[in-house]
Coordinates of all heavy atoms in Angstrom, one line a residue:
M5 N 10.4 -10.3 -14.5 CA 9.4 -10.8 -15.4 C 8.4 -9.6 -15.7 O 7.7 -9.2 -14.8 CB 8.7 -12.0 -14.8 CG 7.5 -12.4 -15.5 SD 7.0 -14.0 -15.0 CE 5.9 -13.7 -13.7
P6 N 8.4 -9.1 -16.9 CA 7.5 -8.0 -17.3 C 6.1 -8.3 -17.1 O 5.7 -9.4 -17.4 CB 7.9 -7.6 -18.7 CG 9.2 -8.3 -19.0 CD 9.3 -9.4 -18.0
N7 N 5.3 -7.4 -16.7 CA 3.9 -7.6 -16.5 C 3.2 -6.5 -17.4 O 3.4 -5.3 -17.2 CB 3.5 -7.4 -15.1 CG 2.0 -7.6 -14.8 OD1 1.2 -7.4 -15.6 ND2 1.7 -8.0 -13.6
S8 N 2.3 -6.9 -18.3 CA 1.7 -6.0 -19.3 C 0.8 -5.0 -18.6 O 0.5 -4.0 -19.2 CB 1.0 -6.8 -20.3 OG -0.1 -7.5 -19.8
S9 N 0.3 -5.3 -17.4 CA -0.6 -4.3 -16.8 C 0.2 -3.2 -16.0 O -0.4 -2.2 -15.6 CB -1.5 -5.0 -15.8 OG -0.8 -5.6 -14.7
I10 N 1.5 -3.4 -15.9 CA 2.4 -2.4 -15.2 C 2.9 -1.4 -16.3 O 3.6 -1.9 -17.2 CB 3.5 -3.0 -14.5 CG1 3.0 -4.1 -13.5 CG2 4.4 -1.9 -13.8 CD1 2.1 -3.5 -12.4
K11 N 2.6 -0.1 -16.2 CA 3.0 0.8 -17.2 C 4.4 1.4 -17.0 O 5.1 1.9 -17.9 CB 2.0 2.0 -17.3 CG 0.6 1.5 -17.7 CD -0.4 2.6 -17.7 CE -1.7 2.1 -18.0 NZ -2.8 3.1 -17.8
D12 N 4.9 1.4 -15.7 CA 6.2 1.9 -15.4 C 7.0 0.8 -14.6 O 6.9 0.9 -13.4 CB 6.1 3.2 -14.7 CG 7.5 3.9 -14.4 OD1 8.5 3.2 -14.5 OD2 7.5 5.1 -14.1
E13 N 7.6 -0.1 -15.3 CA 8.2 -1.3 -14.6 C 9.3 -0.8 -13.6 O 9.4 -1.4 -12.5 CB 8.7 -2.2 -15.6 CG 9.1 -3.6 -15.1 CD 7.9 -4.4 -14.7 OE1 6.8 -4.3 -15.4 OE2 8.0 -5.2 -13.7
K14 N 10.1 0.2 -14.0 CA 11.2 0.6 -13.1 C 10.7 1.1 -11.8 O 11.2 0.8 -10.7 CB 12.0 1.7 -13.8 CG 13.2 2.2 -13.0 CD 14.0 3.2 -13.8 CE 15.2 3.7 -12.9 NZ 15.9 4.8 -13.6
T15 N 9.7 2.0 -11.9 CA 9.1 2.5 -10.6 C 8.4 1.4 -9.8 O 8.6 1.4 -8.6 CB 8.0 3.6 -11.0 OG1 8.6 4.7 -11.7 CG2 7.3 4.1 -9.7
Y16 N 7.8 0.5 -10.5 CA 7.1 -0.6 -9.8 C 8.2 -1.4 -9.0 O 8.0 -1.7 -7.8 CB 6.4 -1.5 -10.8 CG 5.9 -2.8 -10.3 CD1 4.7 -2.9 -9.6 CD2 6.6 -4.0 -10.3 CE1 4.2 -4.0 -9.1 CE2 6.1 -5.2 -9.8 CZ 4.9 -5.2 -9.2 OH 4.4 -6.4 -8.7
E17 N 9.3 -1.8 -9.6 CA 10.3 -2.6 -9.0 C 10.9 -1.8 -7.8 O 11.2 -2.4 -6.7 CB 11.4 -3.0 -10.0 CG 11.0 -4.0 -11.0 CD 10.5 -5.3 -10.4 OE1 11.0 -5.7 -9.3 OE2 9.6 -5.9 -11.0
E18 N 11.1 -0.5 -7.9 CA 11.7 0.3 -6.8 C 10.8 0.3 -5.6 O 11.2 0.2 -4.5 CB 12.0 1.7 -7.3 CG 13.2 1.8 -8.2 CD 13.5 3.2 -8.7 OE1 13.2 4.1 -8.0 OE2 14.1 3.3 -9.8
I19 N 9.5 0.5 -5.9 CA 8.5 0.5 -4.8 C 8.4 -0.8 -4.1 O 8.3 -0.9 -2.9 CB 7.1 1.0 -5.4 CG1 7.3 2.4 -5.8 CG2 6.1 0.9 -4.3 CD1 6.1 2.9 -6.6
R20 N 8.5 -1.9 -4.9 CA 8.4 -3.3 -4.3 C 9.6 -3.5 -3.4 O 9.5 -4.1 -2.4 CB 8.4 -4.3 -5.4 CG 7.0 -4.5 -6.1 CD 6.0 -5.1 -5.2 NE 6.3 -6.5 -5.1 CZ 5.9 -7.2 -4.0 NH1 5.3 -6.6 -3.0 NH2 6.2 -8.4 -3.9
K21 N 10.8 -3.0 -3.8 CA 12.0 -3.1 -3.0 C 11.9 -2.4 -1.7 O 12.5 -2.8 -0.7 CB 13.3 -2.6 -3.8 CG 13.7 -3.5 -4.9 CD 14.9 -2.9 -5.6 CE 15.3 -3.7 -6.8 NZ 16.3 -3.0 -7.6
Q22 N 11.1 -1.4 -1.7 CA 10.8 -0.6 -0.4 C 9.8 -1.3 0.5 O 9.6 -0.9 1.6 CB 10.3 0.8 -0.7 CG 11.3 1.6 -1.5 CD 10.8 2.9 -1.9 OE1 9.6 3.3 -1.6 NE2 11.5 3.7 -2.7
G23 N 9.3 -2.4 0.0 CA 8.4 -3.2 0.9 C 6.9 -3.1 0.6 O 6.1 -3.6 1.3
A24 N 6.5 -2.3 -0.4 CA 5.1 -2.1 -0.7 C 4.5 -3.4 -1.4 O 5.2 -4.2 -2.0 CB 4.9 -1.0 -1.7
S25 N 3.2 -3.6 -1.2 CA 2.6 -4.7 -1.8 C 2.6 -4.6 -3.3 O 2.8 -3.5 -3.9 CB 1.1 -4.8 -1.3 OG 0.3 -3.7 -1.8
K26 N 2.3 -5.7 -4.0 CA 2.2 -5.7 -5.5 C 1.1 -4.7 -5.9 O 1.3 -4.0 -6.9 CB 1.9 -7.1 -6.0 CG 3.1 -8.0 -5.8 CD 2.7 -9.4 -6.3 CE 3.9 -10.4 -6.1 NZ 3.5 -11.7 -6.6
E27 N 0.0 -4.7 -5.2 CA -1.1 -3.9 -5.6 C -0.8 -2.4 -5.5 O -1.0 -1.6 -6.4 CB -2.3 -4.2 -4.7 CG -3.6 -3.4 -5.0 CD -4.7 -3.8 -4.1 OE1 -5.2 -4.9 -4.2 OE2 -5.0 -3.0 -3.2
K28 N -0.2 -2.0 -4.4 CA 0.2 -0.6 -4.1 C 1.3 -0.2 -5.1 O 1.2 0.9 -5.7 CB 0.7 -0.5 -2.7 CG 1.1 1.0 -2.4 CD 1.5 1.1 -0.9 CE 1.8 2.5 -0.6 NZ 2.2 2.7 0.8
A29 N 2.3 -1.0 -5.4 CA 3.3 -0.7 -6.3 C 2.8 -0.5 -7.7 O 3.2 0.5 -8.4 CB 4.4 -1.8 -6.3
A30 N 1.9 -1.3 -8.1 CA 1.3 -1.2 -9.4 C 0.4 0.1 -9.5 O 0.5 0.8 -10.6 CB 0.4 -2.4 -9.7
R31 N -0.3 0.4 -8.5 CA -1.1 1.6 -8.5 C -0.3 2.8 -8.6 O -0.6 3.7 -9.4 CB -2.0 1.6 -7.2 CG -3.0 2.6 -7.2 CD -4.0 2.4 -6.0 NE -3.3 2.4 -4.7 CZ -3.2 1.3 -3.9 NH1 -3.9 0.2 -4.2 NH2 -2.6 1.4 -2.7
I32 N 0.8 2.9 -7.9 CA 1.7 4.1 -7.9 C 2.4 4.1 -9.3 O 2.5 5.2 -9.9 CB 2.7 4.0 -6.8 CG1 1.9 4.2 -5.4 CG2 3.8 5.1 -6.9 CD1 2.8 3.9 -4.2
A33 N 2.9 3.0 -9.7 CA 3.7 3.0 -11.0 C 2.8 3.4 -12.2 O 3.2 4.1 -13.0 CB 4.3 1.6 -11.2
N34 N 1.6 2.9 -12.2 CA 0.7 3.3 -13.3 C 0.2 4.7 -13.2 O 0.1 5.4 -14.2 CB -0.5 2.3 -13.3 CG -0.2 0.9 -13.7 OD1 0.9 0.7 -14.3 ND2 -1.0 0.0 -13.5
A35 N 0.1 5.2 -12.0 CA -0.3 6.6 -11.8 C 0.9 7.5 -12.3 O 0.6 8.5 -13.0 CB -0.7 7.0 -10.4
S36 N 2.1 7.1 -12.0 CA 3.2 8.0 -12.4 C 3.4 7.9 -13.9 O 3.9 8.9 -14.5 CB 4.5 7.5 -11.6 OG 5.0 6.3 -12.1
A37 N 3.1 6.8 -14.5 CA 3.2 6.7 -16.0 C 2.2 7.5 -16.6 O 2.4 8.2 -17.7 CB 3.1 5.2 -16.4
N38 N 1.0 7.6 -16.1 CA -0.1 8.4 -16.7 C 0.0 9.9 -16.4 O -0.2 10.7 -17.3 CB -1.5 7.9 -16.1 CG -1.9 6.6 -16.6 OD1 -1.4 6.1 -17.6 ND2 -2.7 5.9 -15.8
E39 N 0.4 10.3 -15.2 CA 0.4 11.7 -14.8 C 1.8 12.3 -14.7 O 1.9 13.5 -14.6 CB -0.3 11.8 -13.5 CG -1.7 11.3 -13.5 CD -2.3 11.3 -12.1 OE1 -2.1 12.2 -11.3 OE2 -3.1 10.3 -11.8
G40 N 2.8 11.5 -14.7 CA 4.2 12.0 -14.4 C 4.6 11.9 -13.0 O 3.8 12.1 -12.1
R41 N 5.8 11.5 -12.8 CA 6.3 11.2 -11.4 C 6.2 12.4 -10.5 O 5.8 12.3 -9.3 CB 7.7 10.7 -11.4 CG 7.9 9.3 -12.0 CD 9.3 8.8 -11.9 NE 9.4 7.5 -12.5 CZ 10.3 7.1 -13.3 NH1 11.4 7.9 -13.5 NH2 10.3 5.9 -13.8
K42 N 6.5 13.6 -11.0 CA 6.5 14.8 -10.2 C 5.1 15.1 -9.7 O 5.0 15.4 -8.5 CB 7.1 15.9 -11.0 CG 7.3 17.2 -10.1 CD 8.1 18.2 -10.9 CE 8.4 19.3 -9.9 NZ 9.6 20.1 -10.3
K43 N 4.1 15.0 -10.5 CA 2.8 15.3 -10.1 C 2.3 14.3 -9.0 O 1.7 14.6 -8.0 CB 1.8 15.3 -11.3 CG 0.4 15.7 -10.9 CD -0.4 15.8 -12.1 CE -1.8 16.3 -11.8 NZ -2.7 16.4 -12.9
V44 N 2.6 13.0 -9.2 CA 2.1 12.0 -8.3 C 2.8 12.1 -7.0 O 2.2 12.1 -5.9 CB 2.4 10.6 -8.9 CG1 2.2 9.5 -7.8 CG2 1.5 10.3 -10.1
S45 N 4.1 12.4 -7.0 CA 4.9 12.5 -5.7 C 4.5 13.8 -5.0 O 4.5 13.8 -3.7 CB 6.4 12.5 -6.0 OG 6.8 13.6 -6.7
S46 N 4.1 14.8 -5.7 CA 3.7 16.0 -5.0 C 2.4 15.9 -4.2 O 2.2 16.6 -3.2 CB 3.6 17.2 -5.9 OG 2.5 17.1 -6.8
R47 N 1.5 15.0 -4.6 CA 0.3 14.9 -3.9 C 0.4 13.9 -2.8 O -0.5 13.7 -2.0 CB -0.9 14.6 -4.8 CG -0.9 13.2 -5.4 CD -2.2 12.9 -6.1 NE -2.2 11.6 -6.6 CZ -2.2 11.3 -7.9 NH1 -2.4 12.3 -8.8 NH2 -2.2 10.1 -8.2
G48 N 1.4 13.1 -2.8 CA 1.6 12.1 -1.7 C 1.8 12.7 -0.4 O 2.4 13.7 -0.2
G49 N 1.3 12.1 0.6 CA 1.4 12.6 2.0 C 1.8 11.5 2.9 O 2.1 10.4 2.5
R50 N 1.8 11.8 4.2 CA 2.1 10.8 5.2 C 0.9 10.6 6.1 O 0.3 11.6 6.5 CB 3.3 11.3 6.0 CG 4.6 11.4 5.3 CD 5.3 10.1 5.2 NE 6.5 10.2 4.4 CZ 7.0 9.3 3.7 NH1 6.5 8.1 3.7 NH2 8.1 9.5 3.1
S51 N 0.6 9.4 6.3 CA -0.5 9.1 7.3 C 0.2 8.9 8.7 O 1.4 8.7 8.8 CB -1.3 7.9 6.9 OG -0.4 6.7 6.9
G52 N -0.7 8.9 9.7 CA -0.2 8.7 11.0 C 0.3 7.3 11.2 O 0.1 6.4 10.4
S53 N 1.0 7.1 12.2 CA 1.6 5.8 12.5 C 0.4 4.8 12.9 O -0.6 5.2 13.6 CB 2.5 5.9 13.7 OG 2.9 4.6 14.2
Y54 N 0.5 3.6 12.4 CA -0.5 2.6 12.7 C -0.6 2.4 14.2 O -1.7 2.1 14.8 CB -0.2 1.2 12.1 CG -0.4 1.2 10.6 CD1 0.5 0.5 9.7 CD2 -1.6 1.7 10.0 CE1 0.2 0.5 8.4 CE2 -1.8 1.7 8.7 CZ -0.9 1.1 7.8 OH -1.1 1.0 6.5
E55 N 0.5 2.5 15.0 CA 0.5 2.3 16.4 C -0.3 3.3 17.1 O -0.8 3.1 18.2 CB 1.9 2.3 17.0 CG 2.7 1.0 16.7 CD 3.3 0.9 15.3 OE1 3.2 1.9 14.5 OE2 3.7 -0.2 15.0
D56 N -0.5 4.5 16.5 CA -1.3 5.6 17.1 C -2.8 5.4 16.8 O -3.6 6.2 17.4 CB -0.8 7.0 16.6 CG 0.6 7.3 17.0 OD1 1.1 6.7 18.0 OD2 1.3 8.1 16.3
M57 N -3.1 4.5 15.9 CA -4.6 4.3 15.6 C -5.2 3.3 16.6 O -4.5 2.5 17.2 CB -4.7 3.7 14.2 CG -4.2 4.6 13.1 SD -4.5 3.8 11.5 CE -4.0 5.1 10.4
T58 N -6.5 3.4 16.7 CA -7.2 2.5 17.5 C -7.4 1.2 16.8 O -7.3 1.2 15.5 CB -8.6 3.0 17.9 OG1 -9.4 3.1 16.7 CG2 -8.5 4.4 18.6
K59 N -7.8 0.2 17.5 CA -8.1 -1.1 16.8 C -9.2 -1.0 15.8 O -9.2 -1.5 14.7 CB -8.4 -2.2 17.8 CG -8.5 -3.6 17.2 CD -8.8 -4.7 18.2 CE -9.0 -6.0 17.5 NZ -9.4 -7.0 18.4
G60 N -10.2 -0.2 16.1 CA -11.3 0.0 15.2 C -10.9 0.7 13.9 O -11.4 0.4 12.9
E61 N -10.0 1.7 14.1 CA -9.5 2.4 12.9 C -8.7 1.5 12.0 O -8.8 1.5 10.8 CB -8.6 3.6 13.3 CG -9.4 4.7 13.9 CD -8.6 5.8 14.6 OE1 -7.5 5.5 15.1 OE2 -9.0 7.0 14.6
L62 N -7.9 0.6 12.7 CA -7.1 -0.3 11.9 C -8.0 -1.3 11.2 O -7.8 -1.7 10.1 CB -6.1 -1.1 12.8 CG -5.0 -0.2 13.4 CD1 -4.3 -0.9 14.6 CD2 -4.0 0.2 12.4
Y63 N -9.0 -1.8 11.9 CA -10.0 -2.7 11.3 C -10.7 -2.1 10.1 O -10.8 -2.8 9.1 CB -11.1 -3.1 12.4 CG -12.1 -4.0 11.8 CD1 -12.0 -5.4 11.7 CD2 -13.3 -3.5 11.2 CE1 -12.9 -6.2 11.2 CE2 -14.3 -4.3 10.7 CZ -14.1 -5.6 10.7 OH -15.0 -6.4 10.1
D64 N -11.1 -0.9 10.2 CA -11.7 -0.2 9.1 C -10.8 -0.1 7.9 O -11.2 -0.3 6.7 CB -12.2 1.2 9.5 CG -13.4 1.1 10.4 OD1 -14.1 0.1 10.5 OD2 -13.7 2.2 11.1
R65 N -9.5 0.2 8.1 CA -8.5 0.3 7.1 C -8.3 -1.1 6.4 O -8.2 -1.2 5.2 CB -7.2 0.9 7.6 CG -6.3 1.2 6.5 CD -5.2 2.1 6.9 NE -5.6 3.4 7.2 CZ -4.9 4.5 7.1 NH1 -3.6 4.4 6.8 NH2 -5.4 5.7 7.3
A66 N -8.2 -2.1 7.3 CA -8.0 -3.4 6.8 C -9.2 -3.9 5.9 O -9.0 -4.5 4.9 CB -7.8 -4.4 7.9
K67 N -10.4 -3.5 6.3 CA -11.6 -3.8 5.6 C -11.6 -3.1 4.2 O -11.9 -3.7 3.2 CB -12.8 -3.4 6.4 CG -14.1 -3.7 5.7 CD -15.3 -3.3 6.6 CE -16.6 -3.7 5.9 NZ -17.8 -3.2 6.8
K68 N -11.1 -1.9 4.2 CA -11.1 -1.1 3.0 C -10.1 -1.7 2.0 O -10.4 -1.7 0.8 CB -10.6 0.3 3.3 CG -10.6 1.3 2.1 CD -10.3 2.7 2.5 CE -10.3 3.6 1.4 NZ -9.9 5.0 1.7
V69 N -9.0 -2.3 2.4 CA -8.0 -2.8 1.5 C -8.2 -4.3 1.3 O -7.5 -4.9 0.5 CB -6.6 -2.6 1.9 CG1 -6.3 -1.1 1.9 CG2 -6.2 -3.2 3.2
G70 N -9.2 -4.9 2.0 CA -9.6 -6.3 1.7 C -8.7 -7.4 2.4 O -8.5 -8.4 1.8
I71 N -8.3 -7.1 3.6 CA -7.5 -8.1 4.3 C -8.5 -9.1 5.0 O -9.4 -8.8 5.7 CB -6.7 -7.4 5.4 CG1 -5.6 -6.5 4.7 CG2 -6.0 -8.5 6.3 CD1 -4.8 -5.7 5.7
D72 N -8.3 -10.4 4.6 CA -9.1 -11.5 5.1 C -8.7 -11.8 6.6 O -7.6 -11.7 6.9 CB -9.0 -12.7 4.3 CG -9.6 -12.6 2.9 OD1 -10.5 -11.8 2.7 OD2 -9.0 -13.2 1.9
G73 N -9.7 -12.3 7.4 CA -9.4 -12.7 8.7 C -9.2 -11.5 9.7 O -8.9 -11.7 10.9
R74 N -9.6 -10.3 9.3 CA -9.3 -9.1 10.1 C -10.2 -9.1 11.4 O -9.8 -8.6 12.4 CB -9.6 -7.9 9.3 CG -11.0 -7.7 8.8 CD -11.2 -6.6 7.9 NE -12.5 -6.6 7.3 CZ -12.8 -7.3 6.2 NH1 -11.9 -7.9 5.5 NH2 -14.1 -7.2 5.8
S75 N -11.3 -9.8 11.4 CA -12.2 -9.7 12.6 C -11.6 -10.4 13.8 O -12.0 -10.1 14.9 CB -13.6 -10.3 12.2 OG -13.5 -11.6 11.9
S76 N -10.8 -11.4 13.5 CA -10.2 -12.1 14.6 C -8.8 -11.7 15.0 O -8.1 -12.3 15.8 CB -10.2 -13.7 14.3 OG -9.4 -13.9 13.2
M77 N -8.3 -10.6 14.3 CA -6.9 -10.2 14.6 C -6.8 -9.2 15.7 O -7.7 -8.4 16.0 CB -6.4 -9.5 13.3 CG -6.2 -10.3 12.1 SD -5.5 -9.4 10.8 CE -5.3 -10.6 9.5
S78 N -5.7 -9.3 16.4 CA -5.4 -8.3 17.5 C -4.9 -7.1 16.8 O -4.7 -7.0 15.6 CB -4.3 -8.9 18.4 OG -3.1 -9.0 17.7
K79 N -4.7 -6.0 17.6 CA -4.2 -4.8 17.1 C -2.9 -5.0 16.4 O -2.6 -4.5 15.3 CB -4.1 -3.7 18.2 CG -3.6 -2.4 17.7 CD -3.6 -1.3 18.8 CE -3.0 0.0 18.2 NZ -3.1 1.1 19.2
K80 N -2.0 -5.7 17.0 CA -0.6 -6.0 16.5 C -0.7 -6.7 15.2 O 0.0 -6.4 14.2 CB 0.2 -6.7 17.5 CG 1.6 -7.0 17.0 CD 2.5 -7.8 17.9 CE 3.9 -8.0 17.5 NZ 4.1 -8.2 16.1
E81 N -1.6 -7.7 15.1 CA -1.8 -8.5 13.9 C -2.4 -7.6 12.7 O -2.0 -7.7 11.6 CB -2.7 -9.7 14.1 CG -2.1 -10.7 15.0 CD -3.0 -11.8 15.5 OE1 -4.2 -11.5 15.7 OE2 -2.6 -13.0 15.6
L82 N -3.3 -6.7 13.1 CA -3.8 -5.8 12.1 C -2.7 -4.9 11.5 O -2.6 -4.7 10.3 CB -5.0 -4.9 12.7 CG -6.3 -5.6 12.9 CD1 -7.2 -4.8 13.8 CD2 -6.9 -5.9 11.5
V83 N -1.9 -4.4 12.4 CA -0.8 -3.5 12.0 C 0.1 -4.3 11.0 O 0.5 -3.8 10.0 CB 0.0 -3.0 13.2 CG1 1.3 -2.3 12.8 CG2 -0.8 -2.0 14.0
D84 N 0.5 -5.5 11.4 CA 1.4 -6.3 10.6 C 0.7 -6.6 9.2 O 1.4 -6.5 8.2 CB 1.7 -7.7 11.3 CG 2.6 -7.5 12.5 OD1 3.3 -6.4 12.6 OD2 2.7 -8.4 13.3
A85 N -0.6 -6.9 9.2 CA -1.3 -7.3 8.0 C -1.3 -6.0 7.1 O -1.1 -6.2 5.9 CB -2.7 -7.8 8.3
L86 N -1.6 -4.9 7.6 CA -1.6 -3.6 6.8 C -0.3 -3.3 6.2 O -0.2 -2.9 5.1 CB -2.2 -2.5 7.7 CG -3.7 -2.5 7.9 CD1 -4.1 -1.6 9.1 CD2 -4.5 -2.2 6.7
R87 N 0.8 -3.5 7.0 CA 2.1 -3.2 6.5 C 2.6 -4.1 5.5 O 3.4 -3.7 4.6 CB 3.1 -3.2 7.7 CG 3.0 -2.0 8.6 CD 4.2 -1.8 9.5 NE 4.1 -0.6 10.2 CZ 4.2 -0.5 11.5 NH1 4.5 -1.5 12.2 NH2 4.1 0.7 12.0
N88 N 2.1 -5.3 5.5 CA 2.5 -6.3 4.5 C 1.5 -6.6 3.4 O 1.7 -7.6 2.6 CB 2.9 -7.6 5.3 CG 4.1 -7.4 6.2 OD1 5.1 -6.9 5.8 ND2 3.9 -7.7 7.5
H89 N 0.5 -5.8 3.3 CA -0.5 -6.1 2.3 C -0.1 -5.5 1.0 O 0.5 -4.5 0.8 CB -1.8 -5.4 2.7 CG -2.9 -5.5 1.6 ND1 -3.5 -6.7 1.3 CD2 -3.4 -4.6 0.8 CE1 -4.4 -6.5 0.3 NE2 -4.3 -5.2 0.0

């Protein structure tokens, strides 16, 4: 089902198949449509593993992306929520 706010539907669908959230897939697809895939992919990096982060760091990241209920989550729950957001 086409979404008018998605500028590169093919990229969006591929990113969603890899398990990314709708929000993240839309952000990447729209950036690649605006700037070109090669430029977007060249600036992408890798962050550390969630398991290597402290609960406080995970909480801050969850807060930044707007995960509800984060204050009562365990470290494992925060990791799961961040991966599936």
Side-chain angles (χ1 to χ4, degrees):
M5 171 165 90
N7 183 333
S8 62
S9 66
I10 306 298
K11 296 177 184 173
D12 184 346
E13 195 70 36
K14 182 179 178 185
T15 299
Y16 173 83
E17 291 300 327
E18 288 179 27
I19 295 168
R20 287 288 289 151
K21 286 179 188 173
Q22 295 172 9
S25 69
K26 291 178 183 179
E27 180 181 290
K28 181 176 180 179
R31 192 171 53 246
I32 294 169
N34 289 343
S36 71
N38 289 337
E39 302 172 37
R41 287 184 184 140
K42 188 169 186 155
K43 185 174 181 182
V44 171
S45 66
S46 69
R47 75 168 178 245
R50 295 276 179 207
S51 64
S53 170
Y54 285 139
E55 284 78 11
D56 295 337
M57 294 181 177
T58 66
K59 184 177 177 184
E61 291 169 328
L62 294 167
Y63 176 86
D64 291 341
R65 188 166 289 206
K67 184 177 180 181
K68 185 176 180 181
V69 298
I71 295 175
D72 293 328
R74 62 189 172 270
S75 63
S76 63
M77 291 182 182
S78 67
K79 181 176 177 177
K80 181 180 181 329
E81 290 169 326
L82 285 166
V83 168
D84 291 341
L86 286 163
R87 284 197 173 128
N88 295 309
H89 175 70

